[in-house]
Amino acid sequence: MYRIVRTSTLVFSLCAWTLLALGLSSSPPAGAAATSPPTVNATTWTQGTIPSSGSGSTNVLDSVSCTTADFCMATGQTGAASGALIEQWNGTTWSVVSNPAIAGGLELQGVSCVGTTFCAAVGAIVSGVVIEQWNGTAWSQATIPQPSGASSAVFNGVTCQSSTNCTAVGDNVSGSTTLPLVEQWNGTAWSIVTAPAVTGAATTVLESVSCGGPSFCAATGQTATGSLTTTLVEQWNGSTWSIVTSPNGSTAGSASNNFSGVSCVGASFCQAVGSFNDGVNVARTYAAQYNGSTWAQSTTADASPTDPDVLSGVDCFSPTTCSAVGETLPATGTSPAPLAEVWNGSTWTTATTPTGAAGATETAPTGVSCLTNWECVSVGSTTVGGTIAPFVMSAPIARSGYRFVATDGGVFSYGAGAPFLGSTGGTHLNKPIVGLGIMPGGDGYDLVASDGGIFNYGSAQFYGSAGSIHLNQPIVGMAMTADGGGYWLVASDGGIFSYGDAQFYGSTGNIKLNKPIVGMAATPDGKGYYLVASDGGIFNYGDATFQGSAGNIALNKPVVGIAAPVAGGYYLVATDGGIFTYPTSGGPPFEGSTGAMTLNKPIVGMTTAAGGYYLSASDGGVFTFPTGGVPPFLGSTGNIVLNQPIVGIVG
């Protein structure tokens, strides 16, 4: 079993990555009772095919980071003297990627990617710590400081919030004491940041790190004093790291407790996973949850009540949706096999997993990364005879459902994946509702009015509004950050208002526009956004890449919305339901449109879904593409007399 840490990746729900133009939407008639929040769980895992490097008899993958359905990076070691193992997923197959040969038995134990053009992978060789970086084309070794006076050092995990903000964690040995090691990347250089050691402990080790925003990160591991090993949690507040109290499965004299993985969603929810052994019985899985102020045990579901089970990695994309992976020994004399557990907001339950390669004596998943409109991916190793080979398994987590919102804030929801959580349908509003933003797990949403007023429901939190600000132009839409810890509002002049952990990347507020802005969409990783004007002009900021526009096309009808699917690129939709895909070659597929249909009411928005997209008209009529049930038609308000018109749809 290899020590590994979860890479922190940003993940978002089937619908959160497409926040619509004139408004995003959801739910049953105004005044209806709110339903229970949904869960999106990776309950059935299947084994995939992944090659070995061809070097040596040991090929191990430790960590994985996925940013789109067509892009994942997994890292580990080859066992050869020349260096690490890196493999890339292109949407169809895994392949080995060349990386710098560094003498000294390099193992890259953690990886974190931001989009497809930046990744950081961390590990160690005999002489010290190593970091490699991906620029979208190739991997190269980064120049990094080594801890002073250390006889050895290792990085175990890394998380990147952007291409200019990464944190790597591990440990270094100084004399007879093992101390924590933290380095941060600012877009130009890596530098060592002080992290405290536990007073009197011989060992203080950080295994994993995850950040919920620029001012909150959690790093987890273990600390040892004498024969007792206990869990360790350190937290970053934007300027310093400090040790916080964390629970343990046992504190008997020879007990061993550890956290090997952690995942945070914003600054008020984290899950840490690992194992404990009371020194007498076998290892048990262990997990702890952070609620914004304290850490407390969250009971796991061991695959076996009497045989060893451990958890190695975890990824959460909302407070109600996490997947953890590890290893179980199902019965005496049976080879260790994959273990996966899912969190639904209150309990952990075991998932169905493959047994590993035929004849395997051990199969151990160690890292996991989830994209909510696609699947969870886990990597590790499988041992057959004297050969250790890479292992990969995945579980689909996409779900069906969509919501509409009307100008009075009435929310109409269809499908199990889009529950009704509340509305302003019975509330007197100062200004009409123009948009809606969805939380990553689909278990909450915000409504925004044209004056920038915000109304939050379910797990969505209020981070601020423009309701009391004198606006130059009205608000026309919003987008949520990938972790749900913030949101952007956009006005018709392209002015941007950011709240929570949403970062300001730029705006058209001081640009003379040919036509007004009608909506925005965040990039899948939440590190940038697109603005779209009614003439189809596109303005991109942060890591949003310009792929084309309709700005120089004579349109039959004005553009009203934009959607940015997780696979990359974007769609524009016009009021006649005409669809424009960018990039025009190799971009998101055109699945059909209503451009040639006679509509009862104009189209007001679109949302992408697994296998296609939905369009919505102002009467709540729904059009699914491609036709034939993928994605499925789940209902509409097209035959209902509405108090106010629909202004958008979101999955």
Side-chain angles (χ1 to χ4, degrees):
M1 180 93 164
Y2 292 82
R3 180 178 68 175
I4 191 51
V5 81
R6 189 201 77 85
T7 69
S8 178
T9 58
L10 293 175
V11 293
F12 19 61
S13 89
L14 174 63
C15 316
W17 29 263
T18 167
L19 297 180
L20 289 233
L22 278 175
L24 308 173
S25 35
S26 76
S27 112
T35 59
S36 299
T39 59
V40 184
N41 286 327
T43 54
T44 303
W45 295 77
T46 56
Q47 185 172 342
T49 301
I50 192 165
S52 291
S53 69
S55 299
S57 60
T58 298
N59 280 253
V60 174
L61 290 173
D62 293 323
S63 185
V64 62
S65 180
C66 298
T67 60
T68 76
D70 299 325
F71 184 84
C72 301
M73 283 288 185
T75 63
Q77 65 169 331
T78 64
S82 58
L85 173 63
I86 302 179
E87 304 211 24
Q88 180 179 342
W89 169 257
N90 65 4
T92 305
T93 58
W94 288 93
S95 59
V96 176
V97 181
S98 176
N99 67 96
I102 304 172
L106 172 64
E107 179 175 9
L108 294 173
Q109 300 213 91
V111 63
S112 182
C113 296
V114 179
T116 61
T117 59
F118 182 85
C119 301
V122 302
I125 55 176
V126 172
S127 59
V129 287
V130 173
I131 297 177
E132 295 190 9
Q133 292 178 188
W134 169 259
N135 64 4
T137 304
W139 287 91
S140 60
Q141 185 177 359
T143 301
I144 62 172
Q146 299 292 329
S148 177
S151 57
S152 65
V154 62
F155 279 134
N156 299 314
V158 62
T159 183
C160 293
Q161 299 184 71
S162 71
S163 59
T164 60
N165 184 354
C166 298
T167 301
V169 301
D171 58 83
N172 67 100
V173 178
S174 180
S176 60
T177 304
T178 302
L179 303 170
L181 174 63
V182 177
E183 294 197 21
Q184 290 179 337
W185 166 254
N186 65 4
T188 303
W190 288 90
S191 58
I192 294 176
V193 179
T194 301
V198 175
T199 303
T203 300
T204 304
V205 172
L206 295 174
E207 297 275 10
S208 181
V209 62
S210 180
C211 296
S215 299
F216 179 81
C217 300
T220 61
Q222 64 272 338
T223 182
T225 304
S227 60
L228 175 63
T229 300
T230 55
T231 61
L232 171 68
V233 176
E234 299 200 15
Q235 290 180 188
W236 170 256
N237 64 5
S239 59
T240 58
W241 286 93
S242 59
I243 297 170
V244 299
T245 302
S246 59
N248 291 278
S250 173
T251 53
S254 57
S256 178
N257 302 263
N258 83 290
F259 286 141
S260 53
V262 64
S263 180
C264 297
V265 179
S268 59
F269 180 84
C270 302
Q271 283 278 9
V273 302
S275 63
F276 79 92
N277 188 325
D278 63 10
V280 178
N281 298 312
V282 296
R284 316 299 321 136
T285 59
Y286 192 68
Q289 177 183 328
Y290 179 67
N291 64 5
S293 58
T294 58
W295 290 84
Q297 181 181 355
S298 55
T299 304
T300 53
D302 289 319
S304 165
T306 57
D307 297 307
D309 292 319
V310 297
L311 292 174
S312 302
V314 62
D315 199 10
C316 300
F317 45 89
S318 85
T320 60
T321 45
C322 303
S323 291
V325 298
E327 185 178 13
T328 182
L329 184 64
T332 303
T334 304
S335 298
L339 170 65
E341 299 193 14
V342 292
W343 169 259
N344 66 4
S346 58
T347 58
W348 288 94
T349 56
T350 55
T352 302
T353 55
T355 57
T361 54
E362 182 177 15
T363 301
T366 48
V368 61
S369 181
C370 297
L371 290 179
T372 66
N373 69 313
W374 179 46
E375 61 187 13
C376 289
V377 176
S378 177
V379 300
S381 62
T382 186
T383 304
V384 180
T387 301
I388 303 176
F391 172 79
V392 64
M393 66 179 187
S394 62
I397 52 177
R399 58 180 181 186
S400 1
Y402 47 81
R403 299 177 173 103
F404 307 135
V405 65
T407 58
D408 62 356
V411 175
F412 305 83
S413 65
Y414 299 91
F420 175 71
L421 302 170
S423 77
T424 63
T427 304
H428 174 73
L429 302 173
N430 293 328
K431 294 290 182 179
I433 297 297
V434 293
L436 182 149
I438 303 295
M439 287 293 287
D443 55 357
Y445 47 80
D446 291 298
L447 309 185
V448 61
S450 64
D451 63 355
I454 294 290
F455 306 86
N456 53 292
Y457 301 93
S459 67
Q461 301 294 307
F462 178 78
Y463 295 106
S465 78
S468 60
I469 299 173
H470 174 72
L471 301 173
N472 293 328
Q473 296 293 331
I475 299 297
V476 293
M478 73 180 300
M480 303 285 282
T481 58
D483 63 3
Y487 41 77
W488 297 274
L489 310 183
V490 62
S492 64
D493 62 355
I496 294 291
F497 305 85
S498 53
Y499 301 94
D501 64 6
Q503 301 296 300
F504 176 78
Y505 296 110
S507 76
T508 64
N510 59 353
I511 298 174
K512 180 176 173 53
L513 301 173
N514 294 328
K515 294 292 181 179
I517 298 297
V518 292
M520 72 182 301
T523 55
D525 61 15
K527 302 305 178 185
Y529 43 77
Y530 297 98
L531 309 184
V532 63
S534 64
D535 62 355
I538 293 292
F539 304 87
N540 54 295
Y541 300 96
D543 68 358
T545 303
F546 179 78
Q547 306 282 357
S549 78
N552 59 353
I553 299 173
L555 302 174
N556 294 327
K557 295 291 182 180
V559 167
V560 290
I562 181 172
V566 75
Y570 42 85
Y571 292 100
L572 308 184
V573 62
T575 59
D576 61 356
I579 297 291
F580 305 86
T581 70
Y582 298 98
T584 54
S585 177
F590 174 78
E591 304 286 5
S593 77
T594 63
M597 297 181 189
T598 300
L599 302 173
N600 294 328
K601 295 291 182 180
I603 298 297
V604 292
M606 74 178 296
T607 186
T608 53
Y613 45 79
Y614 296 99
L615 309 185
S616 171
S618 64
D619 61 356
V622 171
F623 304 87
T624 69
F625 298 98
T627 57
V630 182
F633 174 77
L634 299 169
S636 77
T637 63
N639 59 352
I640 298 173
V641 177
L642 300 173
N643 293 328
Q644 296 292 330
I646 300 299
V647 290
I649 181 175
V650 70

